[in-house]
């Protein structure tokens, strides 16, 4: 009886932690949904609103690993709760429609809370995962970004119609406060915090640099982030640019709505696959190979108009499904590779950092290449990225477990014992 209650409590905690991630994703989604409203309410140009949108990602891009080190030093529970309460207050402040300069400063501060949430929440989810359910839990975490945008897409228009961006910002503040209060009431696992001596600024800087260098040099912490760099750039390319090549507007609109939802299904599928016994490494290597094959389909002449666009639509849906599987596989791999919660947090910090870099570079590169060569240029450049990602994945997995890649291709030898990555 006690075990049943504990299991229910554990799953409730995991779900609330997942919602914390959804709140973090909505820090970006709310600006996307209110883009036009903010232009009108603030009286500024589209480029300036874009700058406000991107400000939140700057902290993760620059200080991803440092944020993970801070979370590990202070304690994941304290960092998560403090970040959620701060994020709620920042949303309420933005609902007041301050000056553009103040708004930008608030968005930068939101970036700090965003980074700390996406480092602490999955680390705590991993700690609370019931025995044998870690792959599913991390697959669930991998959906937080897509779900956050989906939720904003459903409720955003109604809130904007009621009270403009003010209502949307306030609603995000209320939701974040509720999640913070629920987690405050939960007995979250708290990893031991190492004692901290008072150190000077120069020594603190050297310490942070050494942590960053060590995180990048250690394959167990750097591999998920490196793979996420390729994934985030290509994933956004698929979502943003592919629908525009559809032969008619109805299909374009369908793809814009359906593709994010399909990617969420793919991310959950990765958790189920690993739960069923397929290693995260195999999911990634096979996923990259399958995505490369699908991208070759976009190089077929006239593919966008074949069958009235039905073949093109099917290819788009299949590609984003596999991309979602890759996303889930990366998050599961992160927990599989990490030796402890500290390494896990550093890996999530690198994912935040390199994922932000991919999100910035990918759309810019694809937009310029598409201007030069259309769909073919997009497919070829994406294919090149996938090939590089596959090589990085194979090399990284080999570094961690030299026999892993061979076992993936040929199958394990009789009575062979090796790590299940």
């Amino acid at each position: 009886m006690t075990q049943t209650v504990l299991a229910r409590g554990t799953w409730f905690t995991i779900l609330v932690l997942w919602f914390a991630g959804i709140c973090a994703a909505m820090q970006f989604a709310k600006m996307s949904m209110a883009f036009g409203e903010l232009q009108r309410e603030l009286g500024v140009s589209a480029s300036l609103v874009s700058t406000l949108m991107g400000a939140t990602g700057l902290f993760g891009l620059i200080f991803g690993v440092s944020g993970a080190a801070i979370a590990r030093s202070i304690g994941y529970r304290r960092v998560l709760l403090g970040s959620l309460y701060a994020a709620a207050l920042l949303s309420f402040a933005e609902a007041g429609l301050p000056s553009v300069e103040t708004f930008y400063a608030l968005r930068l501060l939101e970036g700090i809370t965003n980074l700390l949430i996406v480092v602490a929440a999955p680390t705590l989810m991993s700690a609370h995962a019931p025995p044998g359910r870690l792959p599913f839990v991390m697959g669930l975490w991998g959906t937080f970004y897509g779900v956050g945008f989906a939720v904003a897409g459903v409720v955003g228009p109604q809130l904007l119609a009621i009270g403009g961006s003010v209502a949307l910002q306030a609603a995000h503040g209320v939701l974040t406060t509720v999640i913070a209060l629920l987690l405050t009431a939960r007995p979250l696992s708290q990893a031991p915090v190492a004692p901290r001596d008072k150190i000077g600024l120069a020594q603190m800087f050297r310490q942070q640099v050494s942590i960053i260098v060590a995180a990048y040099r250690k394959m167990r912490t750097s591999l998920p982030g490196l793979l996420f760099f390729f994934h985030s750039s290509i994933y956004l390319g698929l979502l943003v640019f592919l629908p525009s090549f559809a032969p008619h507007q109805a299909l374009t609109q369908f793809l814009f709505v359906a593709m994010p939802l399909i990617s969420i299904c793919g991310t959950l599928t990765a958790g189920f696959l690993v739960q069923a016994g397929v290693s995260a490494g195999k999911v990634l290597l096979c996923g990259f190979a399958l995505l490369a094959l699908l991208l070759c389909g976009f190089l077929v002449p006239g593919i966008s108009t074949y069958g009235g666009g039905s073949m093109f639509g099917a290819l788009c849906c299949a590609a984003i499904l596999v991309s979602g599987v890759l996303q889930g596989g990366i998050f599961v791999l992160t927990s599989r590779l990490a030796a402890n919660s500290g390494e896990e947090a550093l890996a999530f910090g690198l994912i935040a950092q390199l994922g932000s870099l991919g999100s910035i570079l990918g759309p810019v590169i694809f937009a310029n290449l598409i201007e030069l060569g259309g769909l073919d240029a997009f497919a070829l450049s994406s294919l090149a990225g996938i090939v590089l990602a596959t090589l990085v994945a194979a090399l990284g997995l080999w570094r961690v477990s030299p026999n892993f890649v061979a076992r993936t291709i040929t199958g394990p030898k009789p009575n062979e014992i090796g790590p299940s990555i």
Side-chain angles (χ1 to χ4, degrees):
M1 184 70 175
T2 304
Q3 290 181 345
T4 303
V5 174
L6 179 61
R8 287 178 180 174
T10 299
W11 281 112
F12 180 77
T13 299
I14 287 170
L15 286 174
V16 180
L17 288 167
W18 178 57
F19 267 97
I22 292 171
C23 290
M26 291 181 71
Q27 289 178 313
F28 292 96
K30 65 182 182 179
M31 296 294 290
S32 177
M33 288 300 305
F35 194 94
E37 286 289 326
L38 285 169
Q39 277 185 263
R40 182 182 59 80
E41 293 168 350
L42 297 174
V44 296
S45 65
S47 61
L48 195 48
V49 176
S50 297
T51 302
L52 292 174
M53 285 181 61
T56 297
L58 290 176
F59 195 86
L61 174 62
I62 300 171
F63 299 108
V65 180
S66 296
I70 291 170
R72 182 175 63 174
S73 174
I74 297 175
Y76 303 115
R77 183 181 189 274
R78 296 189 193 97
V79 163
L80 179 61
L81 293 177
S83 298
L84 285 169
Y85 284 119
L89 290 174
L90 290 168
S91 278
F92 289 132
E94 290 168 5
L97 293 177
S99 66
V100 174
E101 294 79 7
T102 304
F103 209 130
Y104 188 78
L106 292 172
R107 290 292 291 169
L108 287 174
L109 291 174
E110 265 195 301
I112 300 175
T113 65
N114 183 273
L115 171 63
L116 295 176
I117 290 169
V118 301
V119 166
T123 305
L124 288 169
M125 284 179 71
S126 176
H128 283 272
R133 293 293 181 265
L134 180 61
F136 173 77
V137 169
M138 298 318 297
L140 177 66
W141 169 255
T143 67
F144 80 96
Y145 199 77
V147 172
F149 270 80
V151 170
V154 172
V155 303
Q158 285 80 9
L159 290 170
L160 291 172
I162 293 170
S165 70
V166 174
L168 186 58
Q169 295 279 12
H172 179 255
V174 170
L175 175 63
T176 307
T177 301
V178 170
I179 297 303
L181 290 171
L182 286 173
L183 287 173
T184 301
R186 304 302 300 169
L188 292 177
S189 170
Q190 178 65 63
V193 179
R196 300 188 298 278
D197 299 324
K198 292 184 178 180
I199 58 176
L201 189 61
Q203 186 178 350
M204 182 185 297
F205 177 77
R206 287 194 296 270
Q207 189 179 75
Q208 289 300 312
V209 170
S210 65
I211 290 172
I212 293 170
V213 171
Y216 272 99
R217 290 182 64 180
K218 188 179 294 185
M219 192 56 65
R220 288 184 176 276
T221 51
S222 63
L223 181 59
L226 291 171
L227 297 180
F228 206 78
F229 166 76
F230 290 103
H231 161 74
S232 61
S233 58
I234 294 170
Y235 175 80
L236 276 180
L238 294 173
L239 282 181
V240 174
F241 297 110
L242 268 187
S244 61
F245 290 105
H248 50 82
Q249 188 63 25
L251 181 57
T252 298
Q253 292 176 346
F254 169 77
L255 291 174
F256 272 129
V257 173
M259 287 176 69
L261 300 177
I262 292 171
S263 74
I264 293 171
C265 295
T267 304
L268 285 173
T269 299
F272 285 118
L273 287 173
V274 179
Q275 197 74 57
V278 183
S279 72
K282 288 181 181 179
V283 168
L284 289 172
L285 290 177
C286 294
F288 282 128
L290 182 54
L291 184 55
L293 185 63
L294 290 169
L295 288 169
C296 289
F298 291 110
L299 296 172
V300 176
I303 187 64
S304 61
T305 57
Y306 185 80
S310 58
M311 183 63 71
F312 177 79
L315 268 178
C316 289
C317 292
I320 202 67
L321 177 67
V322 175
S323 185
V325 171
L326 289 171
Q327 177 166 294
I330 292 170
F331 281 112
V332 175
L333 181 70
T334 303
S335 294
R336 280 282 196 257
L337 292 180
N340 51 57
S341 62
E343 281 194 359
E344 195 172 27
L346 288 176
F348 283 123
L350 276 173
I351 286 175
Q353 188 169 54
L354 294 177
S356 296
L357 182 61
S359 299
I360 292 169
L361 292 180
V364 174
I365 293 171
F366 286 133
N368 284 282
L369 289 173
I370 286 170
E371 283 187 7
L372 295 174
L375 180 59
D376 286 351
F378 172 80
L380 285 171
S381 56
S382 299
L383 188 58
I386 290 298
V387 170
L388 281 174
T390 306
L391 292 174
V392 170
L395 178 61
L397 292 168
W398 176 80
R399 285 273 303 275
V400 173
S401 176
N403 294 325
F404 174 78
V405 177
R407 289 201 304 270
T408 300
I409 297 171
T410 64
K413 297 176 181 178
N415 301 321
E416 180 181 28
I417 299 175
S420 177
I421 304 173

